[in-house]
Amino acid sequence: MAVDYAVIVLYLAGMLAMGWWGMRRAKSKSDFLVAGRRLGPAMYSGTMAAIVLGGASTIGGVGLGYQYGLSGAWMVFTIGLGLLALSIFFSARIARLRVYTVSEMLDLRYGGSAGIISGIVMWAYTLMLAVTSTIAYATIFDVLFGLDRTLSIVLGGVIVVAYSALGGMWSITLTDMVQFVVKTIGVLLLLLPIAVIRAGGFAEMRAQLPDDYFAPLGIGGQTVFTYVLIYSFGMLIGQDIWQRVFTARGDKVARLGGTAAGTYCLVYALAGAVIGTAAKVLYPHLGSPDDAFATIVRDALPVGLRGLVLAAALSAVMSTSSGALIACATVANNDIWARVKRIAELRGRGHGRDEGQGQDQNEGQDQEHDEVRGNRAFILLMGVGVIAIAIVLNDVVEALTLAYNVLVGGLLVPILGGLLWKRGTGAGALAAIAVGGLTVVGLMTALGVLANEPIYYGLLASLLTYVLVSLATKPTDAAVLAAWRERLAGAPEQEAPAPPPVGAAAGTSGDTGR
């Protein structure tokens, strides 16, 4: 294993070097959080594919293939479908908003009434996504070096926190591109054909396995439907995904690059299911389906290539972990801490609209430097928290399901409603977030975290609440909608009219967040 170890160590050292190099480019808040909004189609599509295809898509995707056959591709397939829908129908409008977080979008659309509550929900989601990705290091480093669980989590987590904090989104973009290439070579070009050949080809696989392994819906129609609700819709609204959309240098890049990334996800989904199916032929009695990936890599690949494919699994986990971490830190700093601090300042000195606008207009290089430093500090803080939670948390599937259910049940309707229905109001959005989120949590408590019903009824309750409350309350202020339409049309951020201040005509009592 010495050669394989050398490959892994060189890979990890390269990630840290990329982080150091990215630090030189992160000179402003825009550079640090969204790579200066300058990514072209190649880098954009590669990094987008890297973040959505994590350890669950690689190790878990192969495990589902081992358990259900080709229909095990559905989980990752629905991720690809969600990314395609986001890219084709929404990404251009999202990119033109030129914001940093989903909550800022809600502020623009509803006049500052839903930002901090949606920020808390989004923070919880990104935190749990980062935690579940970090836990996956334990499996990989155990296979690689035989390290115990805690040390594995700390080692992997520290590396990701280090390069993320050094250069922010620039570092993450550079490392994601490397990770995308490593995953493509390791999983698609090496492991896939070798696994099929070792299993005797597709004819032999069909002869040895039940017909259900080759049925399109062998995993179950209800399971596929639930995947669509959780993962496809989750792709439409997640801060970690939107923050990558914000890195595109224009509408066309966001649309075409995202479409290419979504298509890649569909191919990756099928590849993982085929590898898992081949592993079922080779190792029919594994203790856990999730052991299929590591087992077939260990036994089927020669020295050197084995290290490269294990690096591919490590890169899959790292790309999702780093993307979730910077999203978590961005939301914590910009949507929660900054709002709380500003509210305290306004109460301390009296809040006038002119004063707030004057502060925004007079931002200079010193403030940009302070914002970079502040966001870097939040990445370190959130990173320490993520590592600590990952050490004490055991059930990854339940944690990830909880995160996606609360995200989709609480935020899907207000976000898509804001993009598609002009009659939606801030009161309707707030009520939908509260009712949808509480319904999901309540039903998961009663029926179990992994039950299908919570997301079904949570979405229905959120939709009905949003529509009924919006129709029963005063329409969103015309000035807010005008500012929203101008920003959607591509007006520069400094020229777009700001939402009304606290307690203005929109009839809200929250902070505008702008």
Side-chain angles (χ1 to χ4, degrees):
M1 293 286 290
V3 175
D4 296 324
Y5 292 161
V7 171
I8 300 297
V9 171
L10 286 173
Y11 170 78
L12 294 176
M15 295 300 99
L16 292 175
M18 290 284 187
W20 184 263
W21 188 83
M23 183 174 64
R24 300 170 58 189
R25 305 197 63 169
K27 303 298 184 182
S28 67
K29 178 180 179 180
S30 177
D31 289 333
F32 194 84
L33 295 182
V34 291
R37 307 187 196 273
R38 296 200 298 268
L39 296 192
M43 291 195 74
Y44 178 85
S45 59
T47 58
M48 183 64 86
I51 187 174
V52 300
L53 296 174
S57 300
T58 303
I59 299 171
V62 171
L64 287 173
Y66 182 90
Q67 189 172 3
Y68 298 105
L70 298 186
S71 66
W74 272 109
M75 185 188 77
V76 184
F77 204 80
T78 55
I79 290 174
L81 292 177
L83 186 53
L84 284 172
L86 174 71
S87 302
I88 294 171
F89 299 112
F90 300 107
S91 63
R93 281 183 282 181
I94 292 171
R96 285 197 293 268
L97 292 174
R98 299 187 71 79
V99 295
Y100 293 103
T101 68
V102 174
S103 294
E104 288 182 22
M105 168 264 169
L106 292 172
D107 271 352
L108 283 171
R109 172 59 182 82
Y110 295 114
S113 60
I116 194 165
I117 295 178
S118 63
I120 293 171
V121 174
M122 190 63 74
W123 174 78
Y125 157 72
T126 53
L127 179 71
M128 294 312 299
L129 184 60
V131 167
T132 55
S133 300
T134 303
I135 291 173
Y137 295 128
T139 301
I140 297 172
F141 281 112
D142 177 54
V143 173
L144 292 175
F145 306 114
L147 299 178
D148 69 49
R149 182 180 185 275
T150 298
L151 185 57
S152 298
I153 289 172
V154 172
L155 176 60
V158 165
I159 292 172
V160 168
V161 172
Y163 74 69
S164 300
L166 283 172
M169 186 60 81
W170 268 122
S171 294
I172 292 172
T173 296
L174 295 171
T175 55
D176 276 0
M177 279 305 298
V178 175
Q179 291 158 357
F180 171 74
V181 172
V182 171
K183 279 193 288 193
T184 301
I185 295 173
V187 175
L188 297 185
L189 301 183
L190 292 177
L191 186 58
L192 175 61
I194 290 173
V196 172
I197 292 171
R198 285 289 301 270
F202 284 103
E204 183 66 18
M205 291 162 62
R206 289 193 68 94
Q208 294 203 29
L209 295 173
D211 291 340
D212 287 348
Y213 267 71
F214 302 92
L217 295 177
I219 197 171
Q222 187 179 31
T223 299
V224 173
F225 181 63
T226 303
Y227 283 161
V228 170
L229 289 183
I230 295 177
Y231 296 114
S232 295
F233 287 157
M235 289 296 105
L236 298 180
I237 59 175
Q239 169 67 27
D240 51 326
I241 309 303
W242 277 42
Q243 200 157 343
R244 296 310 173 97
V245 175
F246 301 149
T247 66
R249 71 181 178 209
D251 297 358
K252 186 176 292 186
V253 170
R255 185 182 297 110
L256 297 181
T259 300
T263 304
Y264 179 90
C265 291
L266 303 183
V267 175
Y268 200 87
L270 185 58
V274 171
I275 293 168
T277 304
K280 183 66 175 179
V281 173
L282 295 170
Y283 317 102
H285 304 298
L286 290 178
S288 168
D290 286 342
D291 293 337
F293 180 87
T295 302
I296 198 168
V297 168
R298 181 192 63 203
D299 295 346
L301 299 180
V303 171
L305 292 183
R306 182 170 50 202
L308 181 62
V309 174
L310 287 173
L314 187 60
S315 68
V317 176
M318 282 187 159
S319 58
T320 299
S321 182
S322 59
L325 177 60
I326 193 173
C328 179
T330 302
V331 171
N333 188 19
N334 293 272
D335 290 338
I336 301 176
W337 172 246
R339 294 168 189 269
V340 171
K341 185 170 66 172
R342 185 177 177 188
I343 290 172
E345 290 174 351
L346 290 174
R347 287 178 176 174
R349 65 172 183 257
H351 54 280
R353 181 173 182 175
D354 294 337
E355 182 181 9
Q357 288 181 339
Q359 282 185 331
D360 291 340
Q361 293 167 356
N362 292 326
E363 287 182 346
Q365 291 183 350
D366 290 342
Q367 184 168 347
E368 284 285 358
H369 179 73
D370 290 342
E371 287 181 333
V372 170
R373 185 170 56 189
N375 281 291
R376 182 175 284 131
F378 265 84
I379 288 180
L380 291 172
L381 180 63
M382 292 298 107
V384 171
V386 164
I387 293 171
I389 295 172
I391 290 173
V392 300
L393 191 65
N394 288 318
D395 200 320
V396 179
V397 175
E398 288 198 359
L400 189 61
T401 302
L402 173 64
Y404 267 102
N405 277 353
V406 173
L407 172 74
V408 175
L411 292 182
L412 178 70
V413 171
I415 291 172
L416 294 188
L419 290 169
L420 301 174
W421 190 39
K422 67 179 181 180
R423 185 60 180 83
T425 67
L430 279 173
I433 293 171
V435 172
L438 291 174
T439 300
V440 166
V441 172
L443 288 176
M444 283 192 295
T445 302
L447 303 176
V449 173
L450 299 180
N452 292 324
E453 290 81 4
I455 190 60
Y456 298 165
Y457 293 113
L459 274 176
L460 181 60
S462 180
L463 177 61
L464 291 175
T465 302
Y466 180 72
V467 172
L468 293 176
V469 174
S470 292
L471 292 176
T473 54
K474 183 180 178 180
T476 305
D477 186 80
V480 173
L481 289 178
W484 169 255
R485 286 193 292 269
E486 287 191 30
R487 190 70 71 86
L488 279 179
E493 186 174 354
Q494 66 269 24
E495 296 176 8
V502 178
T508 65
S509 58
D511 179 29
T512 64
R514 299 302 303 156

